[in-house]
Amino acid sequence: MTVELIPLKDRRIVIIGGAGFIGHNLALALKSKGAQVEIIDGLQVNNLLAYTSADAADNPNRDLYVKVINQRLELLREAGIPLHVQDARDYHALSRVLSQINPQVIIHLAAISHAGKSNKDPYSTFDHSLRTLENALDNSRKKVEHFIYLSSSMVYGNFLTEEVEETHPLDPIGIYGALKVAGEKMVIAYQQVFDLPYTIIRPSALYGPRCVSRRVGQIFIESAMKGGVLKIDGDGGEKLDFTYIEDLTNGIERVIQHPNSRNQIFNMTYGKSRSINDLVGIIKEHFPEAPVEFVQRDNLMPFRGTLSVKKLDDLIGYKPTNPIDIGFPKYIKWYKELDPSGKFWMDIKVSG
Ligand SMILES: NC(=O)c1ccc[n+]([C@@H]2O[C@H](COP(=O)([O-])OP(=O)(O)OC[C@H]3O[C@@H](n4cnc5c(N)ncnc54)[C@H](O)[C@@H]3O)[C@@H](O)[C@H]2O)c1
């Protein structure tokens, strides 16, 4: 039986937390398909205000990340995507912006999107992640056709099997994963009580242009660009399901369009984990001189691996095309083009 896809063209979509790494890449992709996409973002968390405030004066990465975030904002402006600078913790202000836009789809990304930072600051992690989610859900009742929530592979905790399906037990370690489980339950409850159709997406280990979240691949490349050391946590044998941003944005487009995505939870990754040592091998092809050092790993990081994307493929047709051998060279190319003269890299600092 052929399923009729909902066209992206003219679909009114709001991305809350949309000026972040995933959000701006997704907004650009959706806009290029003709969607009427608008962004709500406070720019405070892991974004422009965090790196330009007086508190960030001593942050060694400040110059680089302000340049990267400005590139995001410029691309959004060029694409004609409205950015509503609004803190989504403010229920009434969020209500006002949403009723002006009247979206058919809401994609909720706002959060403190980093496990280490969440453990250091649980109070504001709760507010930026769960308070914003509750505000968005409450403003969606009876109005919004589809609510999409970005959860995480961290809901599983340590993977009990080499490959995990969506039915794997949820046993998170630490604040970030615990709040993601709570967020999933809230989204499901809004469907049960108010009939709000949802899709929950669990990505993992994303990478790609214009990220400032300091995940492993990004730290390696930035360090190598400055002639620094690649510091590997543990022995490098640990595996992650590295996912190129374009595979995720393609997957989310499919979720918006396909009726089978409603009221489902999906893993959304490349679908095959690779070791940190494999990743270092690829990075060394581009930076052969970069020295490698092994350091102690963070015990609060769960041991992960492959997330099965079989359900996603079976239900809506998902075909990722970027293993790390293809995705990382594209990512490195973007870094090298950020300042072709190389002068900027000589002048700035980055932390190792
Ligand atoms: N990047 C990954 O590898 C990854 C993996 C799994 C899940 N996720 C989830 O995907 C979502 C997006 O991740 P990202 O990598 O784009 O993170 P990001 O930090 O780049 O973006 C988050 C955005 O949310 C905004 N925000 C935070 N609090 C806000 C508030 N109170 N009001 C308005 N805006 C607010 C920030 O300003 C920022 O632009 C997060 O929920 C994250 O937990 C990310």
Side-chain angles (χ1 to χ4, degrees):
M1 202 180 72
T2 50
V3 181
E4 201 163 320
L5 296 183
I6 298 166
L8 285 175
K9 180 144 178 32
D10 293 330
R11 195 125 177 96
R12 294 188 309 280
I13 302 172
V14 162
I15 309 181
I16 301 180
F21 166 56
I22 297 177
H24 86 281
N25 277 299
L26 179 60
L28 293 168
L30 291 169
K31 180 76 183 188
S32 74
K33 307 283 163 58
Q36 287 183 34
V37 53
E38 304 203 18
I39 287 174
I40 298 174
D41 198 299
L43 301 181
Q44 279 181 48
V45 177
N46 198 24
N47 212 312
L48 196 63
L49 299 181
Y51 290 104
T52 50
S53 74
D55 296 346
D58 297 332
N59 188 325
N61 306 310
R62 175 187 170 129
D63 292 347
L64 175 58
Y65 295 169
V66 168
K67 187 178 174 79
V68 168
I69 292 166
N70 276 329
Q71 192 183 70
R72 279 184 199 167
L73 297 175
E74 188 59 22
L75 287 169
L76 292 173
R77 196 188 58 74
E78 281 168 11
I81 298 170
L83 165 61
H84 304 263
V85 179
Q86 176 59 59
D87 191 326
R89 290 174 299 179
D90 181 336
Y91 178 88
H92 296 290
L94 182 67
S95 266
R96 272 194 299 278
V97 181
L98 285 174
S99 53
Q100 273 165 28
I101 307 171
N102 188 25
Q104 293 161 302
V105 181
I106 290 187
I107 306 172
H108 192 86
L109 306 180
I112 292 196
S113 61
H114 193 280
K117 286 186 191 159
S118 302
N119 285 333
K120 288 200 181 99
D121 193 355
Y123 175 85
S124 67
T125 302
F126 180 92
D127 261 13
H128 287 293
S129 308
L130 282 197
R131 169 49 53 203
T132 58
L133 176 63
E134 164 62 20
N135 288 351
L137 284 166
D138 201 65
N139 276 296
S140 302
R141 317 196 240 153
K142 308 272 178 252
K143 295 176 217 149
V144 166
E145 293 169 27
H146 190 187
F147 192 96
I148 300 173
Y149 175 57
L150 269 273
S151 176
S152 166
S153 63
M154 298 285 273
V155 293
Y156 298 121
N158 289 319
F159 287 14
L160 301 177
T161 43
E162 208 170 302
E163 177 164 329
V164 303
E165 297 185 344
E166 290 81 353
T167 48
H168 181 285
L170 303 186
D171 194 11
I173 303 171
I175 305 296
Y176 178 81
L179 293 185
K180 285 295 185 194
V181 174
E184 291 192 1
K185 296 292 182 201
M186 282 163 59
V187 171
I188 294 167
Y190 266 79
Q191 191 279 324
Q192 292 165 338
V193 180
F194 302 108
D195 209 13
L196 174 64
Y198 72 84
T199 307
I200 291 170
I201 296 174
R202 295 174 179 159
S204 189
L206 286 165
Y207 64 94
R210 299 176 298 278
C211 185
V212 297
S213 299
R214 296 194 60 72
R215 295 195 173 84
V216 57
Q218 183 200 344
I219 296 175
F220 284 162
I221 300 171
E222 289 175 5
S223 192
M225 290 293 294
K226 284 288 291 176
V229 180
L230 309 185
K231 286 190 192 152
I232 302 179
D233 286 1
D235 65 3
E238 195 166 333
K239 286 181 162 184
L240 286 172
D241 197 343
F242 294 105
T243 306
Y244 192 58
I245 184 69
E246 218 173 73
D247 286 330
L248 183 88
T249 57
N250 286 339
I252 298 177
E253 279 177 23
R254 195 85 191 145
V255 158
I256 296 170
Q257 291 180 282
H258 207 302
N260 283 355
S261 75
R262 303 309 187 263
N263 305 333
Q264 296 291 343
I265 300 179
F266 294 116
N267 292 332
M268 192 182 282
T269 58
Y270 179 66
K272 187 173 188 323
S273 62
R274 296 282 292 274
S275 72
I276 307 284
N277 286 331
D278 279 354
L279 173 59
V280 168
I282 291 166
I283 290 176
K284 292 271 285 182
E285 284 171 24
H286 298 263
F287 302 97
E289 311 296 324
V292 171
E293 189 184 311
F294 293 90
V295 297
Q296 199 177 358
R297 84 183 282 286
D298 176 356
N299 285 335
L300 283 171
M301 279 311 274
F303 285 98
R304 288 175 287 168
T306 298
L307 284 85
S308 165
V309 291
K310 185 171 182 309
K311 176 180 173 189
L312 189 58
D313 192 21
D314 287 352
L315 281 188
I316 68 166
Y318 169 75
K319 310 273 180 224
T321 55
N322 292 279
I324 54 173
D325 322 74
I326 294 178
F328 266 93
K330 292 190 207 172
Y331 189 24
I332 292 169
K333 183 166 176 283
W334 172 78
Y335 266 103
K336 292 193 169 171
E337 286 171 358
L338 191 58
D339 173 46
S341 74
K343 184 173 174 330
F344 172 74
W345 288 97
M346 282 182 341
D347 291 346
I348 59 154
K349 290 189 270 179
V350 296
S351 49

